[in-house]
Amino acid sequence: MIRGNLERMKQPVEECLTWDIGDLSRAGVFRAPFGTACSCVWKDTTEREILTVNFSLGGSPVASYLQVNYRQGNLESSSLVSCTIDLTLEACHFGGAKHVFKCPGEGGGVPCGQRIMKLYLVHGRWLCRTCGNLTYLTRQKHDSRVDALARSPVDLLATLRSPDPRKQLLAVRAFAFSQRRVLKPREKHAVEG
């Protein structure tokens, strides 16, 4: 239960701006000459600009990095943030290599350096999920009591028969969850067959 409460205190990744290295690759950033000025723009649902990040690829093909500049804060009191995000090459499963970010965060004074595909803007810094103390929204909404009841038909039946309406509702959710789990493979085979 303590773990569940800690998960609720974490900020969901869905609330953060995400920088995906796959988007940079598809845009041709890694095919451009080193030092080429590039930018990424994030917009809200009304197409209003939220953030513009200017960056350039530096280093060498073996040890490359992004030199990053962006303004943080509102227009009146924004400050320029400059940082370097190291990149590394990671072997692909069927040959070749792809670029990945090395997290620039620090935990306990030690650089993180985790190889990741996405960075999240947390308190003005680009970080991995671990350094940013982030979680997924679905993980916050997950109820482990439903899993426990779905695994135990005896407990499920006892909870359904409980005089407490909250326990009965929990049991109904567990029953619906287990029913979806059982029916899902049947639907899949019906589509394929």
Side-chain angles (χ1 to χ4, degrees), residues 2 12 22 26 29 52 58-59 61 64 69 76 80 84 115 138 140 142 146 149-150 157 180 184 186:
I2 292 172
R26 283 185 290 281
V29 169
T52 298
S64 55
N69 299 300
E76 296 126 20
L80 182 66
T84 301
R115 297 169 181 218
T138 55
Q140 287 182 338
H142 182 77
V146 170
L149 287 175
L157 189 57
R180 280 193 309 270
K184 195 172 191 174
R186 289 184 186 158

Side-chain angles (χ1 to χ4, degrees), residues 90-188:
E90 195 170 86
C92 294
H93 185 67
F94 292 109
K98 64 182 176 184
H99 284 88
V100 292
F101 293 119
K102 288 178 76 176
C103 175
E106 294 182 10
V110 178
C112 175
Q114 183 175 326
R115 297 169 181 218
I116 48 174
M117 297 293 291
K118 294 181 181 182
L119 290 173
Y120 303 93
L121 190 63
V122 181
H123 304 297
R125 295 187 58 209
W126 291 103
L127 303 169
C128 69
R129 274 189 313 119
T130 304
C131 290
N133 196 31
L134 302 173
T135 187
Y136 291 107
L137 194 57
T138 55
R139 186 159 184 161
Q140 287 182 338
K141 292 181 177 182
H142 182 77
D143 190 346
S144 58
R145 299 173 302 168
V146 170
D147 286 341
L149 287 175
R151 283 191 302 267
S152 173
V154 173
D155 291 342
L156 179 62
L157 189 57
T159 307
L160 273 172
R161 292 179 176 162
S162 169
D164 185 353
R166 290 176 297 177
K167 287 185 178 181
Q168 290 175 351
L169 183 60
L170 180 67
V172 169
R173 285 178 38 215
F175 179 76
F177 173 74
S178 60
Q179 190 175 28
R180 280 193 309 270
R181 192 186 305 171
V182 168
L183 294 177
K184 195 172 191 174
R186 289 184 186 158
E187 292 169 1
K188 185 175 180 183

